[in-house]
Amino acid sequence: MHIGLVGLGKMGGNMRSRLRNGGIEVTGYDRNPDVSDAESLAAMVATLPAPRIVWIMVPSGDPTTATVKALSEVLSEGDMVIEGGNSRFTDDTVNATLLAEKGVKYLDCGVSGGVWGLENGYGLMVGGDAADVERAMPVFDALRPEGPREEGFVHAGPVGAGHYAKMVHNGIEYGLMQAYAEGYELLAAKDIVTDVHGCFKAWTRGTVVRSWLLDLLVKALEDDPDLAQIRGYVNDSGEGRWTVEEAIANSVPMPVITAALFARFSSRQDDSPAMKAVAALRNQFGGHAVTSAGPTSGAGSTS
């Protein structure tokens, strides 16, 4: 099988390598000529046997929308596009409708595995028509981890279901990461615990909290025991917000994932306005001490 792959960054470049290692011929296109196999999208498409399969691996939002539109102008009836970025599931219907006007098939695929996917394989969550999924199965089999297919791949439902599943996956990831992070802070704060890294490492076998995320935290602490080289500033790429929005829309309580998302917002504040207000209120009603932002401090009202 021979496919096209658009977007050869950290994820896309590694996916190209894993596909080739799995016996799939790949012609990749990227705006960076140093990594691209073709000079343009049209040139990439021209190398592919019909009916063609093209996998998109570019940032969500406008870059994906522009890529789908550009492909709609160079692909033909019977060709297929697989959108593997972290797009919002609502975008998939729009993309599928646009391509359907040209007779081009569409699958959405949530991809998990990060920079480790080249070696370990990628968890895949796919949305679309069953016949289209079956046609692309050699590609999915080359990308997923070794072992039973159902332990690294799912046909989650119709168009949009793959990205919806990946959105929920990432929302869960927010909650797990926050729990490990809070546990780390408490262990580090207590003077009787002298080996914080060792505690986490001891949990990696035989305990109910063991996971790949825990393994990665252990590795991070091995490299930087006090995490002194890292600022406590955490971005969110969208999936956590979308998960919380969907929870509200479907009346599903998600206190853990919501709190984890808000914790990321807190990380971006050098001096939280909300916490300033809390400190001021405690000072007003109880005379509790506050930390001055200026040269002096006091208790109670200054009026």
Side-chain angles (χ1 to χ4, degrees), residues 113-116 120 173 177 180 197 200 204 211-223 227:
V115 296
W116 298 89
N120 299 333
E173 182 182 287
M177 292 171 68
Y180 286 132
H197 170 259
F200 280 97
T204 59
S211 72
W212 185 32
L213 282 173
L214 180 61
D215 294 342
L216 293 176
L217 181 55
V218 169
K219 184 179 185 303
L221 291 172
E222 285 175 353
D223 297 338
L227 300 182

Side-chain angles (χ1 to χ4, degrees), residues 8-93:
L8 301 170
K10 291 180 180 178
M11 285 279 283
N14 281 347
M15 290 171 69
R16 175 175 62 177
S17 297
R18 186 169 178 88
L19 285 166
R20 288 173 174 172
N21 292 341
I24 305 294
E25 187 175 353
V26 181
T27 299
Y29 170 71
D30 194 276
R31 291 184 300 175
N32 179 359
D34 294 335
V35 300
S36 188
D37 302 318
E39 295 181 353
S40 65
L41 274 179
M44 180 200 71
V45 168
T47 70
L48 306 177
R52 306 169 185 86
I53 295 178
V54 177
W55 188 301
I56 300 174
M57 208 67 197
V58 301
S60 61
D62 291 341
T64 294
T65 299
T67 302
V68 170
K69 186 176 186 304
L71 283 171
S72 73
E73 297 169 355
V74 294
L75 293 176
S76 305
E77 184 174 355
D79 292 345
M80 180 190 298
V81 168
I82 304 173
E83 207 288 270
N86 280 331
S87 292
R88 183 163 184 152
F89 73 99
T90 50
D91 293 342
D92 292 314
T93 302

